[in-house]
Amino acid sequence: VQLQASGGGLVQAGGSLTLSCVGSMLSGNAGGWYRQFPGDSRRLVAGLTTTGNNYYHDSVKGRFNISRDNAKNTLTLQMNDLKPEDTAVYYCNAGLSGDRYGGPFWGQGTQVTVSS
């Protein structure tokens, strides 16, 4: 397993969860968190390049925060003010390079369920 994700769970609307991903493939590569709704493809929710440029999908701006610890090869997604529509399976991903998302390396999915 090149990337190991953890931290999903069940939370009430308005609550918070923290997702963590660790793996050597994050070293030197952009890191991203994707989510997948049933019947849909995985979509980038938040990303962070090795130079500190970040990306957030409009639906999570102001609520989610992505960070990384390059020394520990970890990628973290702090999710606040969660909404039922955030319910999905979340995946971490190591990018193609320091500033390109969407590489071939994925963590196992972690389920996030937000109850209303």
Side-chain angles (χ1 to χ4, degrees):
V1 178
Q2 286 127 342
L3 295 173
Q4 184 74 36
S6 62
L10 173 65
V11 65
Q12 288 188 330
S16 298
L17 283 173
T18 302
L19 304 183
S20 297
C21 181
V22 59
S24 60
M25 295 314 301
L26 288 169
S27 178
N29 291 316
W33 284 97
Y34 292 67
R35 66 186 178 189
Q36 186 170 22
F37 302 119
D40 197 6
S41 56
R42 296 177 191 179
R43 299 181 186 276
L44 183 64
V45 173
L48 185 59
T49 68
T50 56
T51 54
N53 293 315
N54 58 35
Y55 162 85
Y56 294 98
H57 189 274
D58 284 347
S59 63
V60 306
K61 283 181 180 177
R63 300 188 297 120
F64 289 12
N65 184 67
I66 189 170
S67 61
R68 64 189 298 157
D69 185 330
N70 292 326
K72 297 181 179 179
N73 289 331
T74 59
L75 186 72
T76 301
L77 185 67
Q78 176 65 42
M79 305 185 294
N80 300 316
D81 190 23
L82 283 160
K83 304 176 185 299
E85 52 263 41
D86 294 317
T87 296
V89 180
Y90 286 71
Y91 297 88
C92 62
N93 176 269
L96 294 168
S97 68
D99 61 357
R100 292 181 64 193
Y101 301 114
F105 304 105
W106 295 91
Q108 82 283 14
T110 184
Q111 177 71 46
V112 171
T113 303
V114 185
S115 63
S116 57

